[in-house]
Amino acid sequence: MESVPLDTPEGITARLGWDPSVSVHDRRRILTREIVAGLERCEPYEIRVEREPPRGYGYHTRLIASRDGENLPYAVKTASYRSATVVAVTDPAMPLGLDVRDMHPDATDIHMMQKHSHLLDESNIPDLLDHWTRVQAVLEADGRGVRVAAERVRLDATRKKGWLPDRRTGYHLVDLSRDGWIITIAYGSPRV
C-alpha cells in the first residue's frame, strides 16, 4: 500500500494511504501503526493496533494502539472513501474529525451533497466538494454523527472555521487535499 504523510497542524499526525486491493480495516491498521511507530520512535512491528470492544449496539468502536502490552496515550481517527484511507493521531483530549472524498464524485454522491448543502450555487462541484468535506469533518469532530443534520453545521466566510450552534466548541478547518483526494481535518478549540 502506498502512503504519504499529510501536512497537519502541530499536535496532529496524519497519513493518507490508498490501495484497492487492501481492505479498509487493514489500511486503517497499517497507517495507524506507521504513525504511532514514528511518534514512539520504534519499528511498526512493535505497535499493536486493535479495535476496542463495543460498548453497546450502534457504538462505533475506536482503534487502540499499544506497545509491550500497554495502551498508548493517543486518539486515533480515521476516514475512508473507496480505496483511500486517512488516519490522524493526536492527544485524546483534542476534538478531531476527518473527511476524505474522491475529487471526481459520482452522480449519487453529488445529488446527496446538493440535497443537504446550503450553498447558493450547488452546480459548482469543486466548491460543493470543498464545502461538504468541511461540514462532514465538523460533524465527525462533534461526535454525535448522524444524530445531527449536515444542514446545522455553520462555516465562516473563509471556511477555515466551523461550529454547531448548540455547542460551545468550535473547529479550525484545514485542507489537506492531495493525489486526487479532497481531505479536510477539523480540530477543536474554544468557540472560534
Side-chain angles (χ1 to χ4, degrees), residues 6 15-18 24 27-28 31 77-87 97-105 109 112-113 129 132-137 140 174-186:
L6 298 173
R15 291 187 76 84
L16 164 67
W18 63 96
V24 65
R27 286 194 310 263
R28 289 174 181 162
L31 292 169
K77 298 288 185 156
T78 67
S80 297
Y81 189 78
R82 296 185 181 152
S83 64
T85 296
V86 177
V87 172
L98 299 166
D99 192 64
V100 59
R101 304 284 162 168
D102 189 322
M103 197 173 279
H104 306 286
D109 287 342
M112 186 261 315
M113 287 184 257
L129 271 168
W132 189 251
T133 61
R134 291 167 191 269
V135 166
Q136 293 303 307
E140 180 70 25
V174 180
D175 178 33
L176 305 174
S177 300
R178 62 175 298 148
D179 299 322
W181 301 102
I182 306 295
I183 304 164
T184 302
I185 190 167

Side-chain angles (χ1 to χ4, degrees), residues 95-170:
L96 183 72
L98 299 166
D99 192 64
V100 59
R101 304 284 162 168
D102 189 322
M103 197 173 279
H104 306 286
D106 58 31
T108 303
D109 287 342
I110 291 171
H111 176 72
M112 186 261 315
M113 287 184 257
Q114 290 170 330
K115 181 178 175 183
H116 297 287
S117 162
H118 43 80
L119 294 175
L120 294 175
D121 180 9
E122 294 172 343
S123 64
N124 181 338
I125 302 307
D127 189 50
L128 181 65
L129 271 168
D130 176 75
H131 179 268
W132 189 251
T133 61
R134 291 167 191 269
V135 166
Q136 293 303 307
V138 168
L139 288 173
E140 180 70 25
D142 176 67
R144 292 180 287 175
V146 296
R147 297 178 301 211
V148 178
E151 296 90 350
R152 299 211 15 117
V153 174
R154 300 292 177 250
L155 304 177
D156 73 345
T158 65
R159 294 188 187 163
K160 292 183 189 244
K161 297 177 182 175
W163 65 93
L164 286 154
D166 65 332
R167 297 287 193 169
R168 290 180 184 237
T169 303

Side-chain angles (χ1 to χ4, degrees), residues 3-22:
S3 78
V4 293
L6 298 173
D7 189 20
T8 55
E10 188 175 334
I12 303 168
T13 306
R15 291 187 76 84
L16 164 67
W18 63 96
D19 188 334
S21 68
V22 177

